[in-house]
Amino acid sequence: MQTNNRIYLSPPHMSGKEQEYIAEAFRSNWIAPLGPLVNTFEKRLADYAGVKGAAAVSSGTAAIHLALRLAGVTKGDTVFCSSFTFVATANPILYEQAEPVFIDSEWETWNMSPDALERALQDAKRRGILPKAVIAVNLYGQSAKMDELLSLCDAYGVCLIEDAAESLGSVYKGRQSGTFGHFGIYSFNGNKIITTSGGGMLVSNDEASIEKARFLASQARDAAVHYQHSQIGYNYRLSNILAGVGISQLEVLEERVQARRKVFDRYKEALERFPGIRMMPELEGTASNRWLTALTLDNGVTPNDAIACLAEQNIEARPLWKPLHTQPLFSSSLFYPHSDQERVCENLFSRGICLPSGSNLSEADQNRVIAALVHLFESKGATSWTASMS
Ligand SMILES: *Cc1c(COP(=O)(O)O)cnc(C)c1O
């Protein structure tokens, strides 16, 4: 008997109603990267988030790329970007042959440090090359310090793009995460809090820009009966079939947020009593969707020890995102640390892990994860205690 089933980090969790919407797409023969379900999905997501416009696209990465185009980013421009994130945040900067400059995190949210951003903006202004955009990420569901970041961007007249790929359903001071920047982006990749298998959304209160995004995302066809083009376009629209999946997933988003928060709370209760274990913080005035439970280890257990130990039990765990300024791809990019003494994201990366956090993680499976970690922490504790006695 196989009792040791694989526990994944963040598997898809279907509502059960997806097939009905898919059937509707087939019944109406809207099997295309446009259609009534795409329009409905956009409208419902915009209503949920509380923004005027939303454009459904094939991925979160495509949404970031469109946001950069709409912000006017072109070859040789500078774009400031969180360092502590997945590579998809910054790849679109390279698509436009622009220069990323990476900004460190701060301790309270693990997201973009307003101090580091301010220094970077001051330097850029002195040199007469302000960035065209700032991309701030809301990591693992936790909103960045949006008030501080926005007031800096406003003061310098720079467009803020909010990468909310991981924070759909999170709240910052009473408003939905992803709606603070001039543009926000969401992802519906298979591992996100809701999924269309692959997909994304660009949101903004600037409806003209959202209209322009739809135009760019469908090959930038000018208004003419013949096919006429005067700008570079993309084939980035979301399939009508997948929009059906998205509508159904959106209906259960609030439940998914509550389930992930509950997973986080159970880990917290079981693990934080061990010395050196610290859960990812939640900034006052914000509610994270707790997309992934993240924590730091200062108990002699390295992230790799913990990940290897869980892997032996057929459990998937991951280190925190490797800071982009330390990636070979970006070895020539500038980086602004939080302070002279602190490189916060490097520090977090060296100590942190993400645990299985699916909204469909059973209590029994979560107990398996906890038991493996407790065993590891206790054996380490015993070793260091023995060592200190001798
Ligand atoms: C998943 C993710 C993306 C990319 O979204 P895709 O839909 O996979 O293209 C971008 N940024 C962050 C922070 C993400 O986690």
Side-chain angles (χ1 to χ4, degrees):
M1 197 178 75
Q2 171 67 277
T3 53
N4 209 8
N5 63 302
R6 176 108 176 122
I7 301 178
Y8 293 98
L9 194 70
S10 181
H13 185 183
M14 294 295 103
S15 75
K17 280 176 64 188
E18 288 82 5
Q19 303 274 0
E20 293 170 29
Y21 289 101
I22 292 171
E24 186 179 323
F26 277 74
R27 219 167 20 242
S28 58
N29 204 33
W30 280 101
I31 311 294
L34 80 171
L37 295 174
V38 173
N39 304 341
T40 303
F41 187 34
E42 289 176 340
K43 172 94 182 47
R44 296 225 181 132
L45 187 124
D47 288 349
Y48 173 85
V51 283
K52 289 192 182 144
V57 291
S58 52
S59 69
T61 311
I64 296 168
H65 188 196
L66 290 169
L68 291 176
R69 277 288 308 268
L70 293 165
V73 172
T74 56
K75 187 170 177 176
D77 284 339
T78 306
V79 175
F80 290 0
C81 182
S82 300
S83 183
F84 201 28
T85 182
F86 180 46
V87 71
T89 308
N91 267 335
I93 302 170
L94 301 185
Y95 301 167
E96 289 303 321
Q97 294 178 274
E99 289 273 336
V101 168
F102 291 107
I103 311 294
D104 200 2
S105 300
E106 45 78 23
W107 298 110
E108 288 179 304
T109 67
W110 294 11
N111 288 308
M112 188 179 280
S113 156
D115 292 359
L117 177 63
E118 182 162 29
R119 261 183 291 114
L121 285 166
Q122 283 165 350
D123 272 6
K125 181 154 193 197
R126 235 186 333 266
R127 287 186 287 156
I129 43 149
L130 277 174
K132 276 272 175 69
V134 171
I135 309 178
V137 180
N138 303 312
L139 219 58
Y140 306 124
Q142 172 59 55
S143 295
K145 292 188 170 174
M146 280 300 155
D147 283 348
E148 289 86 340
L149 298 180
L150 265 175
S151 73
L152 282 167
C153 286
D154 286 348
Y156 286 83
V158 179
C159 173
L160 180 65
I161 298 168
E162 204 180 349
D163 179 346
E166 301 178 2
S167 64
L168 178 61
S170 300
V171 177
Y172 178 91
K173 301 188 180 173
R175 269 168 61 196
Q176 285 292 316
S177 178
T179 63
F180 291 84
H182 191 85
F183 296 105
I185 77 95
Y186 299 116
S187 165
F188 313 114
N189 193 39
N191 60 347
K192 296 304 198 294
I193 190 155
I194 62 169
T195 182
T196 58
S197 75
M201 194 78 79
L202 178 71
V203 298
S204 180
N205 286 315
D206 169 2
E207 288 174 282
S209 283
I210 292 296
E211 206 38 61
K212 176 108 191 275
R214 292 197 186 96
F215 163 81
L216 292 173
S218 21
Q219 308 288 15
R221 275 177 67 182
D222 293 339
V225 179
H226 57 276
Y227 284 79
Q228 172 138 324
H229 305 275
S230 43
Q231 297 180 60
I232 296 179
Y234 314 93
N235 183 2
Y236 275 172
R237 285 293 262 164
L238 185 70
S239 154
N240 194 58
I241 302 172
L242 299 183
V245 178
I247 293 167
S248 174
Q249 287 273 287
L250 198 54
E251 288 167 1
V252 293
L253 174 57
E254 278 306 315
E255 285 168 44
R256 301 297 186 254
V257 172
Q258 292 319 315
R260 292 208 186 228
R261 288 185 62 86
K262 194 167 161 218
V263 165
F264 180 95
D265 290 343
R266 288 191 85 231
Y267 281 130
K268 180 180 165 76
E269 171 139 3
L271 301 176
E272 227 178 23
R273 64 196 169 88
F274 288 91
I277 303 301
R278 277 250 204 78
M279 309 303 286
M280 183 176 184
E282 186 173 50
L283 185 71
E284 208 185 306
T286 71
S288 171
N289 67 13
R290 298 295 193 190
W291 172 57
L292 293 184
T293 291
L295 54 125
T296 51
L297 314 166
D298 289 296
N299 58 350
V301 175
T302 68
N304 285 343
D305 290 341
I307 291 163
C309 159
L310 292 167
E312 267 174 42
Q313 306 288 323
N314 208 15
I315 296 166
E316 182 185 20
R318 290 286 168 87
L320 303 181
W321 296 122
K322 184 175 197 286
L324 294 185
H325 73 276
T326 67
Q327 295 282 2
L329 177 62
F330 298 112
S331 58
S332 61
S333 298
L334 272 176
F335 171 68
Y336 282 87
H338 181 52
S339 74
D340 286 346
Q341 297 82 35
E342 298 163 297
R343 292 173 166 239
V344 174
C345 62
E346 288 180 35
N347 180 307
L348 289 168
F349 171 67
S350 72
R351 298 185 291 129
I353 55 169
C354 297
L355 297 178
S357 305
S359 46
N360 46 5
L361 179 69
S362 68
E363 284 197 9
D365 278 350
Q366 190 174 6
N367 289 343
R368 256 176 66 201
V369 181
I370 290 168
L373 288 172
V374 165
H375 186 255
L376 178 69
F377 295 167
E378 280 175 347
S379 67
K380 277 286 171 176
T383 337
S384 54
W385 183 76
T386 321
S388 70
M389 291 298 288
S390 58

